[in-house]
Amino acid sequence: MREADMYKAVKVFWGIFVSAAVLAGAAPFVWAGKDTVIPGIRLNGTAVGGMGKVRLEEFFREKNEELAAKKLALNHGAVHEEWSYKDLNVHFDKSRADELLRLGKTGNLLSDWITRWKAVIYGDVVGVVPLYDRETLCTKVDELAVKYGQTPKEAMPVIKDDGTVEFIEGVPYLVFDRPKLVEIVGNALVSEDTDAVEIPVTEEKMPMLTKERLKNFNTVLGVYTTNFGESPNRSRNIELAAEAIRGSVVDPGTVFSYNDATGERSPDKGYLEAPVIVNGKPQPGYGGGVCQVSTTLFNAVLLSGMEVTERSPHFSPASYVPIGQDATVSYGDLDFQFINNFKNPVYVYTKYEPGAVTCWIIGAREDKPEESRVLLEYSGAIGFNTQEKVDPVQTEEKTVEYGHEGYNAGILQYARWADGRVYERSFPSYYDPVDTVITYNKDPKKAEAEKKAAAEKKAKEVKERQDAGRKTTEKNKRDKENKEEQKAVIISLGN
């Protein structure tokens, strides 16, 4: 090739090269619109190159709607809380749209050229971190601390009309590191790939009934309700006793003791004075009314088909249940007890309301009798007598304490299961008669004799007064007659 031709070829090559370089250098400026994001820009992984302000703001709105719909789970063991991103005002700042539109458009030719080519070649990623309301977050952490900072709350049954039971889970006692939880949650909120955090617990006390244990209690095995009057003290004692036995779990083969569950019914536990029956007579005593709760529980146990191991009737029949269906208690003396003879544990639940108390025995469906009843086997009255006595100290001449009949009664517990098993148990009850007692402050016979002597004396005195008066009258009459006769003689002599 001639030298002139070679020179011409080189010149053409460099001309093409320079033109290509110029075109390449200008390309990012050609591709990027004035009012759009430069090509290649990605926002948190999503391509936003070429978007104008309106579309970019719409993009931010869509992302914020997605954030508002999210929830963050806070977990610890069985504890599960969910906090809404919307409540914490988690959002992307829309003003960042203007920053994206200004990328590669600073006016510095070299800097803008590098920014634009970098975006085209590497797909430059712009990170935008969500914002959240820290004050609201701190408030929610404080509320969580209050919620779990109480004495553990046991699970509560929801008893349906068909006898099935579901439980609302209990609430444990938790102490946790509040500043650390604020930090953990804050980090999770700005990290789009975190949907759950662990509560940093430092101290805990869980409810007695775990979710696993609650599965055993799905059916009402027996239930009974009794009613009472509006005596404030007695009502309060009933409420306290019902609360004391509520939530008791009796495992298979275990004996439930009413006295153990309630403890001594003393003033320091809030029990008040109310009438109790002692030897057939009402008198004030602390805890009056607790026998109504033991009686209500007794009847629920009878209907559940479980075995009663200790029960005593009252001195007199209780007005709030049929005769023979009562169970009295006295701490340290008389107790009501039953044994769980089922395959599964049972749960004692009670409900107090003004004028009524209800006891449920809740357990597994397989332990529920197909039929259960309480029947009266026999009942007969026992007569009473009248006694008279003298009490010299008594101020009243006569007082009367009226007695009443006693009774001899028996009931039958009957339960039958679907597999053919039958359980029967009789419960005899003897209620003592109470004699009428008439008390005098003097011996009635002596008093009658004194009364008769006094009457005779009074009659004698009246007769003596009458005789004396009659004699006086007769004397006066004779004296008058004598005077009349003397007067007549004088007159006669004068003539």
Side-chain angles (χ1 to χ4, degrees):
M1 178 179 292
R2 290 180 305 172
E3 184 178 340
D5 292 337
M6 182 173 291
Y7 175 77
K8 185 178 181 181
V10 170
K11 188 177 181 180
V12 171
F13 170 77
W14 279 107
I16 293 171
F17 177 79
V18 170
S19 298
V22 171
L23 288 172
F29 295 91
V30 175
W31 297 336
K34 181 181 180 181
D35 298 322
T36 60
V37 179
I38 62 176
I41 294 296
R42 301 178 70 83
L43 178 62
N44 292 3
T46 301
V48 294
M51 289 187 182
K53 185 171 184 178
V54 174
R55 177 66 188 93
L56 202 55
E57 288 179 344
E58 182 181 348
F59 172 78
F60 270 94
R61 185 174 64 254
E62 291 171 354
K63 286 294 183 182
N64 283 337
E65 288 176 354
E66 291 176 7
L67 284 176
K70 289 181 66 176
K71 291 183 179 181
L72 179 68
L74 291 82
N75 302 317
H76 178 75
V79 174
H80 178 77
E81 295 283 336
E82 284 189 340
W83 287 354
S84 166
Y85 276 50
K86 182 178 180 181
D87 292 343
L88 293 166
N89 193 25
V90 183
H91 66 285
F92 290 111
D93 185 358
K94 292 182 180 180
S95 67
R96 296 298 299 275
D98 293 333
E99 292 182 30
L100 290 170
L101 290 168
R102 288 196 298 269
L103 280 175
K105 302 174 185 179
T106 64
N108 185 312
L109 188 63
L110 179 60
S111 175
D112 289 346
W113 185 81
I114 293 173
T115 299
R116 296 188 183 200
W117 266 113
K118 185 180 177 182
V120 170
I121 296 171
Y122 298 108
D124 198 11
V125 176
V126 177
V128 179
V129 176
L131 304 178
Y132 63 89
D133 189 331
R134 183 177 175 83
E135 184 177 346
T136 300
L137 172 58
C138 290
T139 298
K140 290 186 76 67
V141 168
D142 289 342
E143 291 173 348
L144 191 71
V146 171
K147 177 179 178 179
Y148 290 101
Q150 313 298 320
T151 302
K153 184 179 180 182
E154 293 297 334
M156 294 293 290
V158 177
I159 301 169
K160 300 182 179 180
D161 293 340
D162 62 358
T164 58
V165 180
E166 294 179 354
F167 275 82
I168 300 172
E169 288 189 47
V171 179
Y173 166 77
L174 300 178
V175 176
F176 55 84
D177 188 330
R178 298 192 197 188
K180 188 173 182 179
L181 182 59
V182 170
E183 179 186 353
I184 291 172
V185 173
N187 292 338
L189 295 177
V190 300
S191 172
E192 294 186 70
D193 58 353
T194 302
D195 57 6
V197 298
E198 179 71 15
I199 301 172
V201 173
T202 58
E203 183 182 347
E204 65 182 305
K205 186 175 181 182
M206 305 304 290
M208 180 181 66
L209 294 178
T210 62
K211 182 183 290 187
E212 199 62 33
R213 195 157 170 77
L214 288 172
K215 293 178 181 178
N216 293 304
F217 311 123
N218 52 46
T219 303
V220 174
L221 306 181
V223 57
Y224 200 82
T225 299
T226 60
N227 301 298
F228 50 87
E230 297 182 357
S231 168
N233 285 14
R234 188 173 186 276
S235 297
R236 178 57 178 160
N237 293 338
I238 290 173
E239 183 178 11
L240 288 174
E243 288 176 355
I245 67 172
R246 183 184 303 142
S248 298
V249 175
V250 188
D251 287 313
T254 301
V255 173
F256 170 89
S257 163
Y258 184 86
N259 283 342
D260 287 349
T262 62
E264 187 174 1
R265 277 75 74 174
S266 56
D268 62 312
K269 291 186 177 180
Y271 288 95
L272 306 174
E273 279 196 338
V276 295
I277 303 299
V278 178
N279 295 326
K281 299 175 184 178
Q283 65 181 49
Y286 284 103
V290 298
C291 291
Q292 180 150 356
V293 179
S294 60
T295 291
T296 308
L297 179 61
F298 171 51
N299 282 272
V301 170
L302 291 178
L303 293 172
S304 74
M306 283 191 292
E307 179 185 349
V308 174
T309 56
E310 183 176 343
R311 171 262 176 185
S312 301
H314 285 79
F315 189 89
S316 301
S319 61
Y320 42 83
V321 287
I323 192 168
Q325 291 182 220
D326 58 313
T328 188
V329 290
S330 176
Y331 191 80
D333 184 17
L334 302 175
D335 197 4
F336 169 68
Q337 298 184 2
F338 66 88
I339 186 171
N340 178 5
N341 48 1
F342 295 147
K343 296 179 181 178
N344 303 284
V346 297
Y347 176 88
V348 177
Y349 182 64
T350 63
K351 180 181 178 183
Y352 166 89
E353 53 191 339
V357 61
T358 302
C359 291
W360 287 267
I361 301 296
I362 299 173
R365 179 67 186 88
E366 64 176 298
D367 292 325
K368 181 177 177 62
E370 190 173 72
E371 179 187 4
S372 61
R373 289 176 290 169
V374 178
L375 306 171
L376 179 65
E377 289 188 301
Y378 58 89
S379 176
I382 303 171
F384 66 99
N385 301 313
T386 298
Q387 300 180 20
E388 292 185 345
K389 63 180 184 178
V390 176
D391 182 4
V393 180
Q394 180 174 287
T395 56
E396 297 89 346
E397 180 182 346
K398 175 183 177 182
T399 60
V400 180
E401 295 179 8
Y402 293 99
H404 56 74
E405 293 179 323
Y407 292 91
N408 192 20
I411 61 170
L412 175 69
Q413 174 192 14
Y414 173 84
R416 178 178 60 80
W417 286 263
D419 60 6
R421 286 178 295 130
V422 173
Y423 179 76
E424 291 183 341
R425 168 84 180 278
S426 293
F427 294 88
S429 299
Y430 181 85
Y431 305 99
D432 291 306
V434 175
D435 290 342
T436 293
V437 178
I438 303 174
T439 304
Y440 301 92
N441 58 3
K442 292 183 180 180
D443 187 324
K445 293 181 179 179
K446 184 178 179 181
E448 185 64 29
E450 290 176 352
K451 185 177 180 180
K452 183 178 180 181
E456 291 176 348
K457 181 180 178 182
K458 186 176 181 179
K460 182 179 180 182
E461 290 174 351
V462 170
K463 185 174 183 304
E464 288 176 348
R465 287 196 298 271
Q466 289 175 346
D467 290 344
R470 187 168 51 254
K471 289 179 179 179
T472 300
T473 301
E474 292 177 350
K475 180 178 180 299
N476 291 338
K477 182 179 179 182
R478 286 196 302 270
D479 290 344
K480 184 178 180 181
E481 289 176 350
N482 290 335
K483 287 180 180 180
E484 290 294 334
E485 289 177 359
Q486 290 175 2
K487 185 179 181 180
V489 171
I490 292 172
I491 291 171
S492 175
L493 291 175
N495 292 332

